[in-house]
Amino acid sequence: MRIAILGDIHANLEALQAVGREIESAGIDHVYTIGDIVGYNACPSKCVNIVRGWVQGAVAGNHDWGLTGRLDLNLFSPTAAEALEWSEMNTASEEVAYLEDLPVRAVFDGVTLVHSMPAQPEEFPYVFAGHDMTGQFEAVSTPVTFVGHTHHPTVFHEDGNHEEIIEGTFELPGPDKYIVNVGSVGQPRDGDPRATYAVWESDSRRLEIHRVRYDIKLAVMRIAQTGLPGSFGDRLRVGR
Ligand code: ZN
């Protein structure tokens, strides 16, 4: 089984389409997302619709629940909250309902999906490489868990080691457990502005982190046209 996992799409249509084109020719059986389909960028409605019709499973990110009101906007930065208010006004009611019904944690094809961390799925803590992972591996029964939220692709091993990744292929030998941050499709923050997604090959326990060039200029232009904060466009250009 070969599955693709998309993280933190954040309403970036150009990045999502570029990743979609690559996945179409990559021999993928199932596609999943670990949430934050909306927020920051200019195309929440289109991105929700693409995801809804495409993926075999999804979990909610904090921005998805922020848009629907399930999470208080006071928990977000002022500009992120402003973008969510704008996104809610520019998203159809059935799209909002889709986001509202997403679970916060799920198991598909033998892997766990959760936006932030498995032990506190509804609190959305930001866990970077080197942070305390106490209780996280005990909270899952599957050998591999896919997460997002920090937008930094990283492999966490249950022995306490971790590795930040830009791109490449990695063996994750069993029976050990791993938590893999798949990085961000729509707002990379590791200094590489290319869209990021992961592929997991369960038989060989091989993880691929892919980077994809996309039309950043067009994504930035769309943000300017909506009147959303220009800082969101600046972030796309530099990958921060
Ligand atoms: Zn995010």
Side-chain angles (χ1 to χ4, degrees), residues 93-237:
S93 55
E94 69 265 24
E95 294 155 6
V96 177
Y98 171 78
L99 297 176
E100 192 157 22
D101 287 344
L102 290 177
V104 82
R105 184 181 150 152
V107 174
F108 296 102
D109 292 335
V111 302
T112 300
L113 305 183
V114 58
H115 185 65
S116 170
M117 277 289 144
Q120 308 92 358
E122 297 201 15
E123 292 165 30
F124 301 103
Y126 288 92
V127 177
F128 291 92
H131 282 192
D132 186 7
M133 295 293 285
T134 306
Q136 300 301 348
F137 291 96
E138 293 77 3
V140 282
S141 53
T142 59
V144 181
T145 298
F146 291 101
V147 304
H149 198 41
T150 66
H151 303 200
H152 283 253
T154 310
V155 174
F156 299 90
H157 185 272
E158 65 178 325
D159 70 3
N161 285 319
H162 54 77
E163 188 181 356
E164 288 195 64
I165 292 165
I166 295 291
E167 62 187 320
T169 301
F170 309 84
E171 308 269 345
L172 306 185
D176 301 6
K177 281 183 184 173
Y178 301 83
I179 294 176
V180 177
N181 190 310
V182 297
S184 172
V185 171
Q187 195 194 70
R189 293 181 190 163
D190 60 354
D192 186 330
R194 293 176 297 170
T196 317
Y197 72 97
V199 172
W200 173 243
E201 223 174 67
S202 52
D203 299 339
S204 58
R205 291 192 63 135
R206 196 172 294 144
L207 169 74
E208 303 163 17
I209 298 289
H210 293 268
R211 305 302 288 240
V212 186
R213 288 186 196 285
Y214 73 95
D215 193 343
I216 293 177
K217 269 189 191 154
L218 181 52
V220 171
M221 199 180 77
R222 286 191 201 275
I223 292 168
Q225 285 169 345
T226 61
L228 286 165
S231 58
F232 297 156
D234 300 338
R235 299 186 77 157
L236 297 184
R237 282 198 210 93

